[in-house]
Amino acid sequence: MCNYKEAREECNKAPESDLKNRLMLHIAQKLSDEKTLMEYHEQLRDSSVPDQMCLAALHYARGHYEDATEIYKKIQAENKELLALNVYMALCYYKLDYFDVCLDLLSQYMTMTEPSIIGANLRACTTFQLYNGKTAEDELRMLEKVPHSGDLFQDNDLLRHNLVVLRNGENAMQMFPPLVDVIPEAKLNLVIYHLKNQDIEEAFNIMKDVEPTAPKEYILKAIVHAVVGQHADSKEHLKVAQQLFQLVGGSSSECDTIPGRQCMASCFFLLKQFEDVLVYLRSIREFFLNDDDFNWNYGIALAATGDYKAAEESLQQIKSETYKTEYTYTSWLCKCYVMNGKPSLAWDLYVNMESSAESLSILSMLANDCYRMGHFYYAVKAFDVLERLDPDPEFFEGKRGAAVGVFQMVIAGKEQKEKLAEVISLITTTNNPQIDYIIKVFKKWGKENNMDL
């Protein structure tokens, strides 16, 4: 019921005993009363299995999973009959992201006992981390074969909560809100649900008052601030996100974990230090070869450091159609195509875009990058469209220079002669004496080379 103050009052009425000491210890932990907690902690006996189990549970509650595991191992070495210790250790290894070890411990336990809700649920959660929601749900459904009264899934808050997670948020708004004060993860998963559905304001409203105590809470708060900062162009929110990512990634407990390295990559990404981003992403790449989010960040970081070939490969591995319609994705892939000598693919991407400020920005990038890379034919086409939209003298100069570039490449045999005729039709739309002279030169060369322009 979470009525810890009332529990403390009732417990104080009981006579002194080891059980009272253990109970008061956990009540003090729930009330964040460190002084009282330490007083009861000092009364725990090393020789008492219940006392040591109590201490291990305290370590677990405070996120000290390695310390909890060491105590469980010591108890198990002297008490082989305590099979449930495998589950407690599995919980610790799950929290430490050692999912294979977690499954192995659960298998040892579940082959020697009747299926339990806690064991089956943890096994399903671990399977979800290693594989997918469908496989994990199959693990959970095995509980239906065990005799029980009532509706197993409707009667168990934890199972109902986890089914929503395994089904990628299905019925989240019906299930998560009532469980926010019952299951700690429900609030975090509700935030994740809002983020996935682009309800950024609601995600922020839930997360703003959360005081993180565990790495995953710090990470989620950092993500929320980063998303808000990017959407609102808020340097303040981006700064908070960067600091939170750095706090997790730089901590001794997380620096060598996958989430820790992801945090450092995100920190440097926000700082636009892309060489440092790649150091961390490369160290964990083998675990995310088919992950769209990873390939997105990895591809952009590669492109930002000038490794356009690898960037193109990474961006092309993205499967999400939603991501492929993003302006950021299209602009970076266009740039990669141009830099890798594939301007026709970049032009096709632009042509397939709807007219907007974003398509105009990509067109401007195409015009300038194609010119710099010597892809003059596509530079002419891009500058021609820009000039039609806005008679800026710079667009005319770019179009004129690119036209001359096409002419030079045709002469050198590096461009098809037919392209020159198309270029002439494009530049004739500009009423300028310089264009008249250029066309005259082009046609004279064509006549001399038996080419009808």
Side-chain angles (χ1 to χ4, degrees):
M1 297 173 66
C2 302
N3 297 328
Y4 302 119
K5 291 182 179 179
E6 292 83 350
R8 180 175 59 187
E9 292 174 4
E10 293 300 319
C11 194
N12 272 325
K13 297 175 183 178
E16 297 301 319
S17 67
D18 290 344
L19 176 59
K20 177 181 177 179
N21 185 70
R22 293 193 293 269
L23 185 55
M24 291 295 283
L25 174 72
H26 281 287
I27 292 173
Q29 190 270 324
K30 290 293 186 181
L31 293 173
S32 301
D33 186 348
E34 287 295 315
K35 182 181 178 182
T36 303
L37 184 148
M38 292 308 298
E39 290 175 1
Y40 289 109
H41 180 283
E42 291 172 359
Q43 297 179 45
L44 294 176
R45 293 180 292 118
D46 291 342
S47 60
S48 168
V49 171
D51 279 6
Q52 288 303 299
M53 291 289 288
C54 173
L55 180 57
L58 177 65
H59 283 312
Y60 182 89
R62 293 161 77 93
H64 304 157
Y65 306 116
E66 294 94 340
D67 295 331
T69 303
E70 288 305 312
I71 294 174
Y72 290 138
K73 286 180 179 178
K74 183 179 178 180
I75 295 173
Q76 189 181 53
E78 300 172 358
N79 302 269
K80 301 291 186 183
E81 73 281 3
L82 299 180
L83 300 178
L85 286 170
N86 285 297
V87 179
Y88 299 148
M89 286 190 288
L91 278 165
C92 294
Y93 283 115
Y94 178 86
K95 291 291 188 178
L96 292 167
D97 291 342
Y98 293 127
F99 302 120
D100 290 329
V101 179
C102 178
L103 278 182
D104 183 54
L105 287 166
L106 288 172
S107 295
Q108 293 177 38
Y109 171 74
M110 297 178 78
T111 54
M112 294 184 286
T113 64
E114 290 291 327
S116 69
I117 291 177
I118 296 297
N121 177 69
L122 180 55
R123 184 165 178 162
C125 292
T126 309
T127 302
F128 177 62
Q129 296 291 345
L130 291 172
Y131 304 103
N132 54 61
K134 178 63 172 65
T135 307
E137 185 175 343
D138 290 342
E139 289 283 348
L140 210 54
R141 288 292 177 187
M142 292 179 66
L143 283 171
E144 294 178 329
K145 300 177 182 178
V146 181
H148 57 271
S149 59
D151 189 321
L152 177 65
F153 288 91
Q154 286 302 315
D155 295 343
N156 190 292
D157 291 339
L158 182 62
L159 295 183
R160 286 193 294 119
H161 169 275
N162 288 350
L163 270 180
V164 175
V165 176
L166 300 183
R167 293 172 177 175
N168 199 29
E170 182 181 315
N171 297 322
M173 292 308 296
Q174 289 74 38
M175 293 295 181
F176 287 158
L179 298 176
V180 163
D181 295 324
V182 180
I183 299 175
E185 289 82 359
K187 179 179 288 187
L188 305 182
N189 285 320
L190 184 58
V191 172
I192 293 170
Y193 174 80
H194 285 309
L195 287 176
K196 286 183 175 180
N197 288 275
Q198 301 299 309
D199 194 348
I200 299 167
E201 184 177 355
E202 190 61 33
F204 177 74
N205 288 337
I206 297 173
M207 205 66 197
K208 65 181 180 182
D209 295 325
V210 173
E211 291 297 332
T213 57
K216 288 183 179 179
E217 292 173 359
Y218 280 101
I219 292 171
L220 185 55
K221 190 151 191 168
I223 291 171
V224 170
H225 276 287
V227 173
V228 172
Q230 289 172 337
H231 277 76
D233 194 22
S234 168
K235 292 182 179 180
E236 180 182 351
H237 282 289
L238 292 175
K239 181 66 175 177
V240 172
Q242 179 259 313
Q243 291 173 337
L244 288 171
F245 280 132
Q246 189 170 19
L247 183 66
V248 177
S251 67
S252 58
S253 62
E254 298 297 316
C255 62
D256 290 325
T257 66
I258 291 175
R261 295 187 181 190
Q262 286 177 304
C263 283
M264 287 308 299
S266 298
C267 167
F268 286 121
F269 206 108
L270 292 175
L271 291 171
K272 298 184 179 180
Q273 298 177 14
F274 295 106
E275 291 287 357
D276 294 317
V277 172
L278 291 173
V279 170
Y280 286 96
L281 292 185
R282 282 175 176 141
S283 73
I284 58 175
R285 189 187 176 204
E286 63 180 293
F287 302 103
F288 297 97
L289 294 177
N290 298 312
D291 186 279
D292 282 352
D293 294 323
F294 181 88
N295 285 321
W296 173 287
N297 292 327
Y298 189 54
I300 291 175
L302 286 166
T305 56
D307 190 349
Y308 297 108
K309 185 176 185 299
E312 179 186 332
E313 293 174 356
S314 185
L315 291 173
Q316 285 184 324
Q317 288 178 29
I318 293 174
K319 300 178 182 65
S320 169
E321 292 302 322
T322 301
Y323 282 7
K324 289 180 180 180
T325 60
E326 290 277 348
Y327 164 73
T328 302
Y329 175 86
T330 304
S331 62
W332 277 112
L333 188 56
C334 275
K335 191 174 189 70
C336 290
Y337 282 150
V338 172
M339 296 300 175
N340 292 332
K342 305 172 183 177
S344 62
L345 296 179
W347 182 256
D348 289 342
L349 275 179
Y350 159 71
V351 169
N352 290 323
M353 292 182 71
E354 294 182 1
S355 297
S356 64
E358 293 178 345
S359 66
L360 185 61
S361 176
I362 287 180
L363 181 65
S364 179
M365 181 269 291
L366 276 175
N368 289 286
D369 283 354
C370 283
Y371 193 99
R372 281 193 292 270
M373 295 300 294
H375 307 312
F376 296 116
Y377 170 70
Y378 289 98
V380 172
K381 290 165 73 72
F383 278 122
D384 177 61
V385 177
L386 288 170
E387 188 187 29
R388 292 170 188 266
L389 296 171
D390 179 10
D392 189 313
E394 288 188 4
F395 296 148
F396 162 71
E397 291 172 6
K399 181 177 174 179
R400 179 191 61 192
V404 173
V406 172
F407 180 54
Q408 291 175 329
M409 294 188 73
V410 169
I411 292 174
K414 296 180 180 180
E415 185 62 273
Q416 298 174 359
K417 293 180 180 180
E418 292 75 16
K419 295 288 179 66
L420 192 56
E422 187 177 346
V423 166
I424 290 175
S425 68
L426 290 174
I427 62 176
T428 50
T429 58
T430 302
N431 185 20
N432 188 293
Q434 294 181 29
I435 292 297
D436 295 338
Y437 175 75
I438 290 172
I439 292 174
K440 187 180 296 184
V441 172
F442 288 180
K443 288 187 173 181
K444 179 183 178 184
W445 178 86
K447 185 175 181 180
E448 293 172 352
N449 290 271
N450 298 318
M451 182 179 177
D452 184 14
L453 296 176

